[in-house]
Amino acid sequence: GAEKVALRVMENLADRIRFVVVSYDPHDPALGTTTDLFRSITPYVYQIPEFLSSELNASFTEYLIRRFDPKTIYIANGSPWIYDALPEIKRHHPSIRVANQVYDTQAGWINRYDPALLTYIDAHIGCNPKIARAYEAKGASPESVFFIENGTDPVELDPTQYDNAQKANLKIKFGLPLQTKVVTFASRLNPQKR
């Protein structure tokens, strides 16, 4: 989902950009975590609810902005706090660009879009054409909307990249019969994923 896209972008740009990752929402252990993957790219990973009360989000965010002097804030699938804080952030730091990416056209963060919020977001990223059109329907200017497809590296899923010993080891690891062809579906089964 959103984390995988952000990880891919960071992996490909890590030699050119210093990344700071901030989460304002509490972590749900049932969903798993990508924190260690982010930390393998940057040491600057902050899950704020783990160490601060939400009343300190604004002061900690201001500290991070002064400390790292970001040129862009990229919001991946939002949080109530960051959307509420954008007017103050942009008032104090008008040169910071804000890029926002949502992942649904009808539910979730797309519903936060209104004329006021649009004034604080410089770029709207859609991972499919429906989301790109939804931004425009909510009032975003076409030149501020960017369609960037979600992607999975096909090399990771290409069975020809694994020799027979590697395939056998994976089957043993997961308790699968060695002589049986295995087809895998991996996903989070959730109504949000349809």
Side-chain angles (χ1 to χ4, degrees), residues 56-96:
L56 297 173
N57 284 356
S59 59
F60 189 70
T61 300
E62 182 61 28
Y63 161 77
L64 291 174
I65 290 171
R66 282 187 315 225
R67 163 85 166 78
F68 293 105
D69 189 26
K71 306 302 177 232
T72 302
I73 294 174
Y74 164 62
I75 303 170
N77 220 20
S79 84
W81 187 85
I82 193 66
Y83 289 130
D84 292 342
L86 279 180
E88 279 300 300
I89 291 170
K90 289 291 272 191
R91 186 168 73 76
H92 291 285
H93 306 281
S95 64
I96 293 178

Side-chain angles (χ1 to χ4, degrees), residues 4-164:
K4 186 82 165 185
V5 172
L7 280 165
R8 285 282 183 245
V9 169
M10 290 173 62
E11 287 168 349
N12 286 289
L13 297 174
D15 61 333
R16 293 180 278 173
I17 296 174
R18 176 178 60 186
F19 288 96
V20 178
V21 178
V22 181
S23 174
Y24 292 99
D25 291 335
H27 171 68
D28 180 353
L31 298 178
T33 181
T34 54
T35 302
D36 290 338
L37 295 172
F38 281 103
R39 285 196 174 118
S40 72
I41 299 168
T42 179
Y44 309 113
V45 177
Y46 303 95
Q47 291 183 309
I48 294 177
E50 290 183 358
F51 60 91
L52 281 180
S53 139
S54 61
E55 293 82 30
L56 297 173
N57 284 356
S59 59
F60 189 70
T61 300
E62 182 61 28
Y63 161 77
L64 291 174
I65 290 171
R66 282 187 315 225
R67 163 85 166 78
F68 293 105
D69 189 26
K71 306 302 177 232
T72 302
I73 294 174
Y74 164 62
I75 303 170
N77 220 20
S79 84
W81 187 85
I82 193 66
Y83 289 130
D84 292 342
L86 279 180
E88 279 300 300
I89 291 170
K90 289 291 272 191
R91 186 168 73 76
H92 291 285
H93 306 281
S95 64
I96 293 178
R97 289 183 45 82
V98 175
N100 188 54
Q101 183 166 5
V102 302
Y103 291 85
D104 198 311
T105 60
Q106 296 175 354
W109 301 115
I110 193 70
N111 293 317
R112 283 297 300 261
Y113 268 69
D114 60 27
L117 183 65
L118 286 168
T119 64
Y120 304 110
I121 299 176
D122 302 290
H124 312 273
I125 301 167
C127 59
N128 63 52
K130 283 178 70 175
I131 291 174
R133 287 190 303 270
Y135 287 130
E136 291 181 30
K138 294 285 188 175
S141 66
E143 57 275 357
S144 71
V145 176
F146 301 90
F147 169 48
I148 304 172
E149 290 183 86
N150 270 342
T152 300
D153 186 352
V155 171
E156 292 179 0
L157 305 174
D158 183 355
T160 64
Q161 298 297 314
Y162 300 88
D163 63 33
N164 288 336

Side-chain angles (χ1 to χ4, degrees), residues 168-188:
N169 285 336
L170 285 171
K171 286 181 177 182
I172 292 167
K173 177 180 176 179
F174 294 110
L176 301 169
L178 289 174
Q179 302 307 317
T180 304
K181 186 173 193 149
V182 177
V183 177
T184 304
F185 171 77
S187 180
R188 179 166 62 99

